[in-house]
Structures are given as C-alpha cells and as structure tokens.
Amino acid sequence: MELRQQQVIESYQRVQRFLDAHPNAAGSYGGSYAGSYGEPKARLDAVVERLTAHATRQMESGRKGRAETSRQRALKRALREDHLRPIAKIAHAVLHDAPGIAVALRLPRPQLTVTRLLADASAVRNAVAAYQPVFVENALPADFMEELDAAIAALRVSLVDRAESVGARVGARHAIAQEIRRGRAVVEILDVVVTKRFGRDDEVMASWRSAKRVHASPTSGSGSGSAAVGGASPRAA
C-alpha cells in the first residue's frame, strides 16, 4: 500500500475512535443524526471495512507477485541452462552439416524477456523434433523432449500467474483510492456534526482536528507533516 493511502486510512480509524469516545447525545442535533452520528458514521465504518479488505488483498497480491517473480527467474534459468543449452551444444557439435539447424537451435540470450524466451524455446522445440534420435544418441535422455515441454509449460504458467498478481494489486490500489474519496466526503459531513455538537469545547475540538488530520511519517517528506482530511488545512480544520 502506498504510504499516503496508509496514512489516510489511519486517519479514518482515528475518526472512528473519536466518534466512539464522544457520542452525539440523543436529541442534541436532531434529524437523521439524533441519538448518534447516524448514517455518516455507518458509511465511514463501511468504508474502513472495505479499505481493510482491499489493503489485505493488495498486500497478498504483492507478496504473491514477488514470490512469482523469484520463481520465474529460477524457471527461466532452468529452461535455458538445463534444457536449451545441452541442445545447442549437441547441435553445434553434431549437426553442423545440417543446413541451418545449428542456427535454429542456438542458445537464446539470457537477457530475453519471459515472453521472448518462451517463443524462442518453442521454436527450438519444433526444430529439434526432427532430430530427436540424434540427441538421444549423444547423451540426452530419451524423454528430453517431454522434459523440455514441461519446462516451457511451467514458465508459461508462471507468466500468467504473475500477470494475475499484478492485475489484482492494481485493482486493489484503484479500489483503495475510490474508498478514500468516499471516506473523505463522509468525514466532511461528520466535521459539520462534530463542530455543531462540540464547537465550543476547545479540548474536544482539538482532539477532533488531530483525529481527522493525516499524519505523515517522519521520513515521508518535508513540510508540516500533516494535513486535514477533506482538503482543509490544519489551521482551518
């Protein structure tokens, strides 16, 4: 989760605690807010609940994506070194007289992307099929083609899994941004209610301003280190 998003969510949680600690007494405001903070508080609670779920999904997909990236590197290395390199060496040593085959079975460069490596590996697999007995006669196992197919398939699955993790992380980040906007609107409404109820109590209002303020961490950048949720400056909040 982005640092700023985390800080805003924490401010919403502080607002929740403030509202619990300073209830809006029955009949003190009237209308739909009589007895408590009514619908705005319920909406804020729902926003925080959804934010928590989205943040968890974002963290899980991020961890899975990092793990898949590490696995992908290992699968790329295994495909190139354990399967394609022996084929390229034997082709160079034994099939040098076959027109173009040594070039067709040349070892792909290590810098290739996963997608390009998969394409090259598939091309090697197709080219080597006609010469399978030659490679078996020259020390490759009888099932080396099946092993190559399995290595290609494993890397392809890893590519799809990582893409899904990235997509889930991006989706969660977008959902968090949407919920933060909804929460900001609710806090603005609650600010009206709290100010009407406690506006003459300096101590409570100072606590309210602190609760709804977005507190920056000491390492998050320069400036005053905080900003009020809802767009108001700390001084005007």
Side-chain angles (χ1 to χ4, degrees), residues 114-151:
V114 175
T115 301
R116 178 62 188 275
L117 177 60
L118 284 169
D120 279 13
S122 296
V124 169
R125 193 258 181 238
N126 293 336
V128 81
Y131 299 90
Q132 184 173 356
V134 175
F135 288 92
V136 174
E137 290 170 3
N138 286 274
L140 287 188
D143 62 347
F144 82 94
M145 291 285 288
E146 289 79 2
E147 291 180 350
L148 175 59
D149 288 341

Side-chain angles (χ1 to χ4, degrees), residues 28-29 190-200 205:
S28 63
Y29 186 73
L190 288 167
D191 185 52
V192 174
V193 182
V194 171
T195 301
K196 189 172 184 66
R197 172 69 176 84
F198 300 106
R200 295 185 179 182
M205 290 305 297

Side-chain angles (χ1 to χ4, degrees), residues 69-83:
T69 297
S70 177
R71 178 171 176 265
Q72 202 172 89
R73 284 196 295 266
L75 290 171
K76 282 181 63 179
R77 184 167 54 250
L79 174 59
R80 186 176 183 275
E81 299 299 326
D82 299 343
H83 300 279

Side-chain angles (χ1 to χ4, degrees), residues 87-213:
I87 290 173
K89 282 189 172 183
I90 292 174
H92 180 74
V94 179
L95 298 175
H96 50 81
D97 292 332
I101 191 64
V103 174
L105 300 180
R106 183 178 296 164
L107 182 66
R109 299 191 310 276
Q111 299 86 0
L112 293 182
T113 64
V114 175
T115 301
R116 178 62 188 275
L117 177 60
L118 284 169
D120 279 13
S122 296
V124 169
R125 193 258 181 238
N126 293 336
V128 81
Y131 299 90
Q132 184 173 356
V134 175
F135 288 92
V136 174
E137 290 170 3
N138 286 274
L140 287 188
D143 62 347
F144 82 94
M145 291 285 288
E146 289 79 2
E147 291 180 350
L148 175 59
D149 288 341
I152 291 172
L155 184 56
R156 185 171 288 116
V157 168
S158 176
L159 179 66
V160 173
D161 287 347
R162 185 179 181 278
E164 290 178 350
S165 296
V166 171
R169 182 173 175 80
V170 170
R173 184 168 64 241
H174 178 70
I176 287 172
Q178 286 186 318
E179 292 299 334
I180 283 177
R181 287 193 292 270
R182 293 188 182 104
R184 185 176 294 116
V186 174
V187 171
E188 289 180 349
I189 295 172
L190 288 167
D191 185 52
V192 174
V193 182
V194 171
T195 301
K196 189 172 184 66
R197 172 69 176 84
F198 300 106
R200 295 185 179 182
D201 189 324
D202 292 341
E203 183 177 351
V204 173
M205 290 305 297
S207 178
W208 168 244
R209 286 191 292 270
S210 177
K212 69 191 184 77
R213 186 169 295 141

